[in-house]
Amino acid sequence: MRLAIGFVAGLLFGFGLIIGGMTDPARVLGFLDLAGAWDPSLIFVMLGAVVTTALGYRLVLARAHPVCDTGFHLPAAKRVDRRLLLGAALFGTGWGLAGYCPGPVIVSLASAQSGVWIMFVAMLAGWLLVDRVVAAS
Amino acid sequence: MHWSQALLGGMLIGGAAVLLMAGLGRIAGISGIARQAFGRGKGDGREDRGWRLAFLAGLWCAALLWQLVRGGVSLGVPQVSTPVLLLAGLLVGVGTALGGGCTSGHGVCGIARLSPRSLLATAVFMSFGFLTVYVLRHGLPGALS
């Protein structure tokens, strides 16, 4: 059951990214290019996703627990720190360089284009690097 | 692209996030899910790998089904050279690990919860995305193409 829910959520998420245009880096870079021929359509992806999630969360989080678990796993971190800001700045820079954020990279692996795999391996290396450094410190 | 198609895509993403919270009580943050599925992760990363791998399998199946129906390359192609993709991947990896989220975890789920951390993180990564594209396309055109 847990696996089925995970799979269906992934499937829906993937279709959303594809239909919304997030898997097309040309479109993403067009959205990020405020001073060029700006393509504002991705704002509607964000809007649709945030409003749907906010309304859905209101209903879901009012329940005692999720269907397949004893409690909700919400992020415990509350503090705004340097790590959060530095991380967001680095991520935004990488997103602006290639036009791919993590979801679209992973979805696009299925299109078997070498560039996407290269970006995926580098992204994985970045995750492992931070996990290792943080584990060591 | 028509705005209504973008809105539909967004609503599907939101539906997926709501389903994951309703079923498993989890945030649909792709960088976190993938990190803990592939890597060491933290906390329950190890024991709870199953649904994360199933989620990633769902993402791939969406792309495969889409390509089957639409035929061939319909997912968009990389716009920059291999060295730039390598650098971008590393920055996205390190950045999302340090910042604890990406466009989905902070930008969608976090903002939907009105988390101050996520609102700020989203403002910062959007700003740096705009800034990077501005510098590359209008400040130093050709620098990294």
Side-chain angles (χ1 to χ4, degrees):
Chain A
M1 185 65 180
R2 290 173 64 81
L3 295 185
I5 291 171
F7 179 79
V8 174
L11 199 62
L12 280 178
F13 208 114
F15 282 130
L17 288 173
I18 295 168
I19 292 170
M22 295 293 291
T23 49
D24 182 356
R27 174 154 288 144
V28 174
L29 293 174
F31 166 68
L32 292 175
D33 190 6
L34 290 176
W38 189 50
D39 172 8
S41 61
L42 295 190
I43 286 181
F44 291 97
V45 180
M46 196 81 161
L47 195 71
V50 169
V51 171
T52 305
T53 307
L55 294 175
Y57 274 11
R58 270 184 79 92
L59 298 173
V60 168
L61 294 174
R63 301 170 63 93
H65 58 82
V67 179
C68 294
D69 207 328
T70 52
F72 294 102
H73 302 262
L74 298 174
K78 293 274 181 280
R79 219 156 50 93
V80 169
D81 52 17
R82 256 203 310 220
R83 206 182 130 145
L84 176 82
L85 298 177
L86 176 67
L90 293 177
F91 163 46
T93 305
W95 190 33
L97 280 178
Y100 279 115
C101 53
V105 170
I106 292 172
V107 169
S108 298
L109 290 178
S111 75
Q113 296 181 61
S114 59
V116 181
W117 278 92
I118 288 165
M119 173 138 184
F120 173 72
V121 170
M123 189 167 82
L124 203 57
W127 286 336
L128 296 176
L129 183 73
V130 172
D131 284 345
R132 183 143 303 182
V133 169
V134 171
S137 64
Chain B
M1 179 170 55
H2 202 261
W3 63 268
S4 60
Q5 194 189 334
L7 199 64
L8 173 67
M11 287 165 70
L12 284 172
I13 293 170
V18 174
L19 174 64
L20 209 56
M21 187 60 77
L24 307 180
R26 299 288 183 165
I27 295 282
I30 294 190
S31 58
I33 291 173
R35 225 175 111 210
Q36 294 182 17
F38 294 131
R40 205 181 45 84
K42 49 182 181 183
D44 64 347
R46 246 180 238 268
E47 310 86 86
D48 225 359
R49 192 163 281 179
W51 73 265
R52 294 190 171 97
L53 289 171
F55 181 89
L56 296 175
L59 289 179
W60 284 316
C61 281
L64 290 172
L65 283 172
W66 185 264
Q67 288 179 124
L68 207 65
V69 173
R70 303 297 298 260
V73 178
S74 51
L75 292 183
V77 293
Q79 302 291 303
V80 291
S81 63
T82 298
V84 181
L85 285 168
L86 272 173
L87 176 64
L90 203 60
L91 285 170
V92 168
V94 170
T96 53
L98 279 180
C102 58
T103 337
S104 50
H106 281 312
V108 175
C109 300
I111 289 184
R113 293 191 308 125
L114 295 176
S115 150
R117 269 172 61 85
S118 291
L119 286 162
L120 193 65
T122 305
V124 170
F125 72 65
M126 296 282 302
S127 303
F128 274 79
F130 288 131
L131 189 71
T132 302
V133 172
Y134 180 81
V135 169
L136 289 182
R137 290 196 172 175
H138 307 287
L140 298 163
L144 281 176
S145 59

